[in-house]
Amino acid sequence: MRIDILTLFPDLIHSVIKESIIGRAIESGKVEINVINFREYSTNKHKKVDDYIFGGGAGMLISVQPIYDCLQAINKSVNTKVLLTSPRGVTFNQEKAENLAHEEHLIIICGHYEGIDERVSEYLVDEEISIGDYVLTGGELAALIIVDAVSRLVPDVLNKADSHINDSFSTKLLEYPQYTRPAEYMGMKVPDVLMSGNHKEIETYRLKESIRITYKRRPDLLSKYQLNKQESKLFKEIITEEQKTVEKE
Ligand code: SAH
């Protein structure tokens, strides 16, 4: 997969993508990331990229020209998808990350200041993506979140050991709690079942705790999830157990 990121702050992107799993994915050629400073495409003699807003209003807006020329200069195919980071976009989630991971070429545009001339979104972009209902100073952190979530789903980026199939959201339930050594630390103990070596029991425990944590923290996700027979039985147990805990308190 190839990802081109258009930004005024390339160092911000470089400093993150060189590290850890994404850094290794780039090194091994599974993901190619090009960071392009679109200021270089400004035709203004001072390389200015922003201007006052027509009709008035506070702040400066990035002009369409440098973005247009920068996009023109990028090698594209019919499958290239151009994304704009924007608080007005559709909210990014795991399903969106999974869809984007199937694309062969993404271009992500990072805005700054007051944002970007509307013609970029109107004529040059396939999709606007927001990472949540808050406003950032620039699109770089949003682009990095998209790149991170998408890259780890590209085949072979994660090794089998850190496989993502059990991750929260991939199964539409939140992930069950996990522990590592030591089995007891400062009086804090790991649940006995995990030390039992009984794989069937461990599997049931994990499924049950996955349902429990989703029920407690994200009932909205659970209400969309189709519980099968075994899961419904576990869910009934959870409700009884949770009621008992509330009664005790
Ligand atoms: N005036 C704009 C905000 C501009 S913030 C508005 O009210 O909609 C500057 C840039 O930061 C945006 O162009 C976008 O690239 C990025 N940005 C800010 N918040 C974001 C969010 N929640 N998701 C994705 N990108 C965001």
Side-chain angles (χ1 to χ4, degrees):
M1 158 173 266
R2 189 175 123 213
I3 306 174
D4 293 315
I5 304 175
L6 274 58
T7 170
L8 294 173
F9 299 91
D11 290 349
L12 254 175
I13 307 284
H14 283 302
S15 65
V16 174
I17 60 172
K18 67 180 193 330
E19 302 285 346
S20 186
I21 296 173
I22 311 299
R24 287 202 298 274
I26 294 171
E27 241 169 66
S28 65
K30 284 165 196 129
V31 181
E32 178 191 336
I33 301 180
N34 303 308
V35 187
I36 309 165
N37 188 340
F38 60 84
R39 189 181 293 284
E40 288 163 19
Y41 290 85
S42 168
T43 50
N44 175 279
K45 65 172 186 266
H46 305 295
K47 295 280 173 212
K48 212 165 92 88
V49 290
D50 56 341
D51 218 324
Y52 295 102
I53 302 172
F54 278 135
M60 303 290 271
L61 206 62
I62 293 172
S63 338
V64 61
Q65 179 275 319
I67 306 258
Y68 183 92
D69 286 355
C70 183
L71 286 173
Q72 286 288 314
I74 295 174
N75 255 335
K76 292 189 264 325
S77 76
V78 283
N79 297 324
T80 297
K81 196 151 195 194
V82 184
L83 310 177
L84 174 65
T85 54
S86 156
R88 297 189 324 193
V90 290
T91 310
F92 189 63
N93 60 18
Q94 189 64 18
E95 193 183 340
K96 177 109 279 179
E98 275 158 18
N99 293 338
L100 291 177
H102 291 115
E103 300 287 342
E104 61 190 58
H105 181 206
L106 298 176
I107 299 178
I108 308 178
I109 305 171
C110 305
H112 222 84
Y113 315 115
E114 265 309 300
I116 305 185
D117 189 300
E118 187 70 15
R119 284 165 290 185
V120 168
S121 125
E122 241 177 297
Y123 298 105
L124 310 179
V125 159
D126 296 308
E127 197 168 349
E128 284 185 50
I129 297 188
S130 163
I131 57 156
D133 289 345
Y134 38 80
V135 180
L136 304 164
T137 57
E140 287 72 19
L141 292 172
L144 285 167
I145 284 172
I146 297 167
V147 165
D148 190 292
V150 169
S151 302
R152 68 192 287 286
L153 299 174
V154 169
D156 301 326
V157 163
L158 294 187
N159 45 41
K160 284 212 175 62
D162 29 61
S163 161
H164 52 77
I165 45 170
N166 289 326
D167 282 343
S168 302
F169 305 115
S170 278
T171 51
K172 316 289 182 210
L173 293 174
L174 300 181
E175 195 178 51
Y176 45 80
Q178 300 188 95
Y179 305 83
T180 184
R181 287 189 288 182
E184 185 170 347
Y185 185 72
M186 300 286 183
M188 298 179 282
K189 284 176 79 180
V190 168
D192 289 338
V193 54
L194 297 175
M195 319 302 289
S196 69
N198 184 329
H199 294 297
K200 195 142 187 11
E201 270 180 33
I202 291 174
E203 208 180 294
T204 309
Y205 161 83
R206 286 182 165 163
L207 178 61
K208 185 169 177 179
E209 293 315 306
S210 209
I211 298 170
R212 188 193 309 273
I213 202 153
T214 313
Y215 166 66
K216 288 170 83 169
R217 294 198 184 165
R218 293 292 304 275
D220 59 310
L221 288 180
L222 193 63
S223 65
K224 284 184 234 149
Y225 183 86
Q226 285 282 339
L227 294 167
N228 65 25
K229 218 171 144 200
Q230 184 199 11
E231 290 163 344
S232 297
K233 185 176 157 272
L234 293 173
F235 184 49
K236 276 191 199 124
E237 291 173 17
I238 292 167
I239 301 279
T240 319
E241 286 160 15
E242 291 301 320
Q243 267 165 358
K244 272 190 201 142
T245 329
V246 174
E247 279 157 22
K248 259 194 230 153
E249 281 167 5

